Every structure is written in C-alpha cells, then in structure tokens.
Amino acid sequence: MREYSIAAIPADGIGPEVIAAGCTVLASLEKRLGDVRFAIENFDWGSDYYKKHGVMMPSDGLERLKKFDAIYFGAVGAPDVPDHITLWGLRLPICQGFDQYANVRPTKILPGITSPLRNCGVGDLDWVIVRENSEGEYSGHGGRAHRGLPEEVGTEVAIFTRVGVTRIMRYAFKLAQARPRKLLTVVTKSNAQRHGMVMWDEIAAEVAAEFPDVTWDKMLVDAMTVRMTLKPQSLDTIVATNLHADILSDLAGALAGSIGVAPTANIDPQRRFPSMFEPIHGSAFDITGKGIANPIATFWTAVQMLDHLGEQEAAARLMRAVEAVTGAGILTPDVGGTATTKDVTDAVCDAIHSSNV
C-alpha cells in the first residue's frame, strides 16, 4: 500500500466546494485501485481565518506544511478583504517559501466542451504554459512614498536573475522535449523592456543549445495573444515570465472553453518541499454556495498531483474519467450545461469505476 499525505487548503469562495469534490474523487480512486491511499488533512486558512486572527495563515504555517507530500489548494480572495492581503498572505508565501518556481498550466479542449474559437475543436488546441513562479514582476520589491500627496510615487520592481531564468527555461525545454511535438515558444517583451527581457532572450538561446531536438521560437507577448487566438495549432509548450504567463494562461483557459476547467501545478522540481496543485478559476464569490461550481479544473489538477507523486496509472484513469464525463455532456453552466457540482463529481466517480475507462 502506497500512502501519500495531502494538505488540503480549501480557502475562499468556491474553494471549499471544489476541494471537497476533489477529495471525493481521490477516495474513489483509492477504492478502484486498491493499492494507494491518500491521507488528507484539512486546514481552515483563508479570508475567514484572516477576519478572526488578522492573518491568512498562522506564523508556523509553512513549517506545518513541510511534512506533506503535496498541497491541494482551492482558491483565495474575498470581496471584503483586499486582494493583496489574501494573495500575499497565503498563496504566494507558500509558492515562494517552498521555491515552487515552475507553475505548469496545461490547456486543451476537452470532449463535449466548445471553444469560442471558430472551427477549433478537440486536438486543435493542446498546450502547456510554463510560468516562472518565483521572481519577475511578482517579486514583491518596490514601495510607496509621500502617500496622499501630489508627488506620491509607487514602484514595482521586477527582479530577473540568471539562476531563476535559466532554471525555468531548462524546465520548459525538458517539458517540450518530453512532448510529442518537441516545440517550445519563448514569450517576452524584449522590444520595450530592454534589460530583464533581453536577458530572457539571451538565456533562452543558451539553454536551447542543450536541447538540439527541440524546435523553439520566440514571440512578443502582445503578438502572442494574436497567435493564440488565430493560430492555436501552431503552439505546444510555452514559457513566459510570472506576469505574462499569468495573463496568457487565463486567455488559454478561456479559449479552451472556460477557466473553470483549467488546472495549475506549482512545482518544486528539486522536490525539497511539497508542491501545490490548484484550479486557476479563483474564488468566484458570485456563484459560491449555489452548487454549480465547475470541479473539472480541480480534478485535472489532481491528475497533475498524481503524476507528480509518481502515480501515473491513477492520473491516467482520472483524466480518462474526466474526458468521458465531459464528452457525455455532463457539464456545469459555465460550459453550457445544467449539471451541478455534485452531478459532475458523481459522474466522474462512476466513470473511475467503469470498465470502459
């Protein structure tokens, strides 16, 4: 029996709903496979915790998480708590504290889900976006002076290091090398940002020499939005900075039909610390408690988590179950269906036990 310890942090909005669904699906996988167990411990950190204690998580939060094999994260953000507090109080301290420098966001059009792109269907859009997740535009450097005065100034300093850029570039090239098309697109804005972005371009060329079997090209981020929309078949693996990839991956999710189906893995490739897995969609307070949150992104990120843990059979079975359910038209309202969160969850659990999956 292989056992994995999972820290579940449902956090805010629809986070508790989708993480509960994800834990239900993991329990179904346990029963189906018989030789694997997931020991899940829930943490009540988030905006409600902040309102009671003045912090999003306790001061020893990272220390308490270190012992786990993985972190299963819901969503962060609340309408009555400033976004910079929720983000910098919980999610980013985990990503940065555990040096989860590779944010990996796969995107593809699932069976039964319609892309807003004309004449674009299953197989036409199949990407993985690799986001540098530890520095860049989200380094947290900068400040404000002369608050409230006419001469008030705010600075936001993007930090790019040779170590940081090289390691994410090498990760992206290795990932591209492992995919059938062996194709990588490097995204920057080096025509206007002539220091950090030019360094990105230079390091990309250096790392490319280590991977002669990978075909690569580079795009400016604004032109990349056009290419993603008009020529999705021309892309496969994509690497970009913290800010640029954050934006492009949301666009990718929308182009695939809904960010409600888009997953994320925050990876420490050196495996010194637990990696964290979460859906992209955010806390979505407008539908919280209505029972219609799309759990597919949470299931898909569980696939990433299982892959990371070395449970490839479980990961493949769960992904096949997800695709069988979406292909059967069991969809939540964000992707044109009428199913509830529970309907989709029950259907995926049934598919896991089906002999056809």
Side-chain angles (χ1 to χ4, degrees), residues 297-317:
T298 308
F299 300 159
W300 195 347
T301 199
V303 171
Q304 293 182 285
M305 180 169 66
L306 293 166
D307 265 328
H308 182 74
L309 294 173
E311 294 294 332
Q312 277 74 35
E313 180 187 353
R317 176 166 288 277

Side-chain angles (χ1 to χ4, degrees), residues 245-291:
D246 188 9
I247 296 168
L248 293 178
S249 57
D250 276 10
L251 171 60
L255 294 178
S258 171
I259 60 171
V261 302
T264 308
N266 302 285
I267 303 291
D268 165 28
Q270 276 69 51
R271 298 176 182 267
R272 298 155 296 172
F273 306 104
S275 294
M276 181 165 67
F277 303 85
E278 59 176 325
I280 285 179
H281 53 57
S283 51
F285 267 83
D286 58 322
I287 60 168
T288 297
K290 295 182 179 180

